Amino acid sequence: QERSINYLFGEKGKGKTEFSLGLAFAICMLLPFLHYPAPEEETPVTVIDGEMDPYDLVKRTTAYIQRFGYPKKDYLQLINFALQPDQTIPDIKDEPGQKKVLKHLKIQETLTGKKPVLILDNLRSLSNYIENDADSYRPIGVWLKNLRGLGYTVLVLDHTGKAAPGPRGTSSKTDWANVCLKIEPDGPAGQKYMKVKMSFDKARGLRPDQTADYVCQYDFEGNWTLAASTKELEDAEYIKQIIELRNLEPKITQKAIAEKLDISAGKVN
């Protein structure tokens, strides 16, 4: 949504950055993304990366560039902490850091004539706020709210809490958020593609039919596609095997099928 605060949260190393880069290229290059249609117009994007080695960021973006070409000049700007003075981006909970980010957004807006989307990757690496302290996080929340008031759209990448279903730390951090989207692995490790499940933790301003969970996968060559979940694939295989057993033994019981397939009778039913 335009003029919104959004969170993408999940476990460490489970696809947050990759998903946000795919979304960034779609926004700035007028591309459809998964089941979302292409934007009505190209919109500039700034990605502020406070964590990755510069080579990793180049490697990940190269896949999209090879697939779709280069974005228009100034429409995708990547800011990596390691390339800044003293390899540091000022803390975004403090006024100097907030002013520096806003200054950059205004420059990009001047260059493109459009308000850019801001992606912060990630919250923990860009601020030393106390995670379980609502008052410590409040300056960041107020700043994000003010950016939204100025017409900017922000996507914040954050980690999942150990117990709580939402982002890690104080629950108040998403009070002003429009959308909170959880990303988590789907299926075992070692697959050719990265497959993830997306689910909405908060969806202010979206219709119910826009908030269904879905599974998608990335091939590391710039292509994101919708996919069947691992559970759906397993169920489809079980259905196939059950039909084959029923064809061979029309009077076979559900209990017997369950024993042959080593699953519960309830699952057979």
Side-chain angles (χ1 to χ4, degrees), residues 21 45-49 57 61 76-80 83-84:
L21 287 175
V45 179
T46 283
V47 177
I48 299 181
D49 168 37
L57 188 58
T61 54
L76 179 60
Q77 299 197 355
L78 307 174
I79 300 174
N80 178 266
L83 302 179
Q84 308 309 306

Side-chain angles (χ1 to χ4, degrees), residues 141-154:
V142 171
W143 175 60
L144 295 176
K145 179 171 67 73
N146 291 341
L147 287 177
R148 180 175 62 188
L150 293 172
Y152 296 105
T153 299
V154 184

Side-chain angles (χ1 to χ4, degrees), residues 49-218:
D49 168 37
E51 183 177 58
M52 288 193 296
D53 181 88
Y55 173 78
D56 292 335
L57 188 58
V58 170
K59 182 178 180 181
R60 295 188 188 204
T61 54
T62 296
Y64 295 100
I65 292 171
Q66 291 177 339
R67 175 69 176 85
F68 301 110
Y70 285 94
K72 289 169 61 175
K73 180 177 172 58
D74 299 316
Y75 268 70
L76 179 60
Q77 299 197 355
L78 307 174
I79 300 174
N80 178 266
F81 80 97
L83 302 179
Q84 308 309 306
D86 300 322
Q87 296 192 21
T88 301
I89 294 175
D91 196 314
I92 60 171
K93 78 173 176 15
D94 300 325
E95 188 173 343
Q98 295 175 3
K99 285 186 174 180
K100 193 174 186 69
V101 173
L102 181 57
K103 180 181 178 181
H104 173 84
L105 294 177
K106 289 183 175 180
I107 291 174
Q108 190 179 20
E109 183 179 353
T110 299
L111 292 171
T112 62
K114 301 173 185 176
K115 289 188 179 296
V117 172
L118 172 63
I119 298 177
L120 299 172
D121 185 9
N122 59 61
L123 188 57
R124 179 74 276 176
S125 63
L126 293 171
S127 178
N128 69 350
Y129 75 100
I130 301 171
E131 288 190 324
N132 291 312
D133 187 333
D135 290 335
S136 179
Y137 181 77
R138 182 175 173 79
I140 299 176
V142 171
W143 175 60
L144 295 176
K145 179 171 67 73
N146 291 341
L147 287 177
R148 180 175 62 188
L150 293 172
Y152 296 105
T153 299
V154 184
L155 174 61
V156 182
L157 275 56
D158 199 6
H159 295 119
T160 307
K162 291 183 179 179
R168 189 169 68 190
T170 174
S171 60
S172 66
K173 68 166 60 171
T174 59
D175 285 351
W176 286 311
N178 296 77
V179 172
C180 297
L181 190 61
K182 183 177 183 179
I183 182 170
E184 54 190 325
D186 184 88
Q191 300 180 89
K192 181 180 179 181
Y193 302 118
M194 179 178 69
K195 185 186 286 188
V196 293
K197 177 184 177 182
M198 312 299 297
S199 55
F200 288 86
D201 182 63
K202 184 176 183 180
R204 180 183 294 165
L206 299 181
R207 302 190 309 270
D209 63 349
Q210 296 175 316
T211 60
D213 296 352
Y214 61 91
V215 173
C216 55
Q217 64 185 25
Y218 179 60

